[in-house]
Amino acid sequence: YVLFVLKRAREAGLEVPEETLKRARSFLSSWLQTSRSPPADQPPWWRTYLLDTAALVLFVLTEDQERHDEQARWLYQNFGERDLFAKAMLAAVFHRMDPAGSERRALLQELYNRVVQTPAAVRFVEDQSEALRLLMHSSSRTDAIALLCLLQGDPKSELLPKIVRGL
């Protein structure tokens, strides 16, 4: 979250040294390369935790047009092992890579398949995995991340106002 927030600070006019952003990007890029192989002695939920975190890292790095296509495709191949909020972030990553791509469409469809809609609001249904509990996760967090990603990946969705009301 540090790089994500530092970029928002810079956009707001605060002085953020380019070297600081460069070091943060470098750290995250290096971490992505090592995240594919969790140590064997980790509990079963650890892999999901790493995949979810890798989706966040890709989301932040691709905001700067930094491409990690191989990593994104590897994560996509592990589609079923990630939590819904991570799938939303990965949909935004694929939108930045190729707005007409099949991966983007499939990830958005997965997101839309998990919608619970009332006349006034929309919520997303997320399984509560052990990895999510460790991330201090909530369903509102999933809804907020889905909104952020849909604003980029499907900005004309008629669900956007209902997601806002649901939050």
Side-chain angles (χ1 to χ4, degrees):
Y1 293 102
V2 172
L3 180 58
F4 184 76
V5 173
L6 286 175
K7 289 190 303 186
R8 300 292 88 73
R10 182 181 256 190
E11 290 167 5
L14 297 171
E15 185 176 329
V16 179
E18 184 57 39
E19 183 59 29
T20 300
L21 297 175
K22 183 178 176 183
R23 282 195 327 266
R25 283 190 292 270
S26 177
F27 173 82
L28 292 176
S29 294
S30 295
W31 182 87
L32 270 178
Q33 299 309 313
T34 61
S35 67
R36 287 189 185 192
S37 304
D41 62 342
Q42 295 299 325
W45 53 262
W46 187 254
R47 180 169 166 80
T48 301
Y49 174 81
L50 284 178
L51 292 169
D52 288 352
T53 304
L56 170 62
V57 168
L58 282 170
F59 178 81
V60 171
L61 289 174
T62 58
E63 272 195 324
D64 288 334
Q65 289 77 44
E66 189 172 320
R67 300 290 295 253
H68 292 274
D69 295 14
E70 180 185 336
Q71 281 294 111
R73 286 191 176 84
W74 181 82
L75 269 179
Y76 181 76
Q77 291 170 353
N78 293 281
F79 183 87
E81 297 183 52
R82 283 184 327 284
D83 292 302
L84 188 62
F85 78 91
K87 291 175 184 179
M89 285 191 259
L90 197 54
V93 168
F94 277 101
H95 175 76
R96 294 168 186 159
M97 290 169 53
D98 179 9
S102 62
E103 297 93 345
R104 173 192 167 272
R105 282 192 308 274
L107 288 160
L108 285 176
Q109 187 59 53
E110 171 73 14
L111 193 60
Y112 287 134
N113 286 345
R114 303 289 285 280
V115 165
V116 174
Q117 195 168 176
T118 67
V122 162
R123 302 293 308 225
F124 292 89
V125 177
E126 174 112 70
D127 297 327
Q128 292 299 309
S129 70
E130 182 66 22
L132 283 179
R133 283 190 281 283
L134 292 170
L135 290 169
M136 297 181 2
H137 187 73
S138 70
S139 60
S140 293
R141 180 175 182 241
T142 293
D143 295 346
I145 290 170
L147 175 61
L148 175 66
C149 296
L150 289 172
L151 286 168
Q152 295 175 25
D154 195 6
K156 295 182 180 177
S157 173
E158 59 191 41
L159 294 181
L160 294 175
K162 291 178 110 178
I163 298 170
V164 170
R165 283 192 298 271
L167 286 169

